Amino acid sequence: MRKHHSALGGVALALALTLTGCGGDDTEPKVQDTPSQSPSPTPTSTPTPKTPEEKAAAQLVAYLDVRDDALRAATIDFKRLNKVATGQVFLNIQQNVSAIERSGSKLTGEYVHTLGEPRDRGAYILIIDCEDRSGVEQTKDGKPVPEPVGPDGKPVPNPLPIEYKLVKEKGRWLVSDQNGLLEESC
């Protein structure tokens, strides 16, 4: 199971706790004042995203699931990828998976993604993911592969903030571009 910690998850949990009446110290049973009132239904699942920002964030989570699975398997399920990515990100994932496969290395473990608040920029929505790779290991012939280095030759920071751009195409939000913020921290 992938761990996605996001503001939306916290909001959904808080909403679920509020709607179900959980989380308080009140142990007294509730008594209805009017017999004709019917109790409100208890939500059984996470609310469906409604705003463009919520929909974009849900798509980013779906993309990260597809990407993480593809990197670990060293193969791509294009049916899944087509539903969540486009443009440069679509090409980048293919290049990254191909590089893992060609190198004969293996990627194991789980990434942890902590999503920031979605920011509507008009033509696109921007979301920063604080990606923690500490639970991921890349090996070749059973030996650890050195940590990645940035363009400056220094190790890529972990966790790393990654800025994702999502665009709306054919009525669906798709991840189109990403930028690792090497000079920033989570």
Side-chain angles (χ1 to χ4, degrees):
M1 181 171 143
R2 257 130 328 304
K3 298 174 184 174
H4 296 284
H5 307 281
S6 71
L8 292 175
V11 170
L13 178 60
L15 179 61
L17 290 174
T18 301
L19 291 175
T20 59
C22 295
D25 293 329
D26 186 10
T27 57
E28 293 292 307
K30 301 288 181 199
V31 178
Q32 282 184 287
D33 292 334
T34 311
S36 63
Q37 290 179 335
S38 60
S40 7
T42 303
T44 57
S45 65
T46 305
T48 304
K50 303 268 190 270
T51 67
E53 292 85 358
E54 291 172 332
K55 290 176 182 178
Q59 277 295 86
L60 177 56
V61 168
Y63 164 75
L64 293 169
D65 281 344
V66 170
R67 185 208 70 172
D68 295 353
D69 289 347
L71 293 173
R72 278 190 300 272
T75 187
I76 299 172
D77 178 345
F78 282 99
K79 188 174 181 179
R80 288 178 66 203
L81 184 61
N82 286 332
K83 293 178 183 177
V84 294
T86 189
Q88 193 60 45
V89 165
F90 190 89
L91 299 174
N92 285 348
I93 190 66
Q94 291 176 62
Q95 291 171 343
N96 292 337
V97 167
S98 178
I100 289 171
E101 186 207 11
R102 280 192 323 269
S103 74
S105 62
K106 182 172 176 67
L107 198 92
T108 58
E110 298 288 332
Y111 293 88
V112 176
H113 302 284
T114 305
L115 302 184
E117 289 295 320
R119 292 178 272 169
D120 189 344
R121 299 290 191 232
Y124 61 92
I125 291 181
L126 196 65
I127 303 173
I128 295 179
D129 169 30
C130 183
E131 180 177 274
D132 185 348
R133 302 178 315 278
S134 59
V136 176
E137 182 179 42
Q138 187 171 356
T139 56
K140 182 175 180 177
D141 301 325
K143 298 176 184 169
V145 172
E147 287 291 318
V149 293
D152 58 1
K154 296 178 184 174
V156 173
N158 188 45
L160 175 67
I162 303 173
E163 187 176 71
Y164 287 96
K165 180 196 270 187
L166 291 95
V167 295
K168 198 163 191 180
E169 287 184 6
K170 298 179 185 174
R172 178 177 23 199
W173 288 101
L174 300 172
V175 179
S176 67
D177 201 10
Q178 71 182 39
N179 182 28
L181 306 173
L182 297 173
E183 301 299 318
E184 296 185 27
S185 61
C186 295

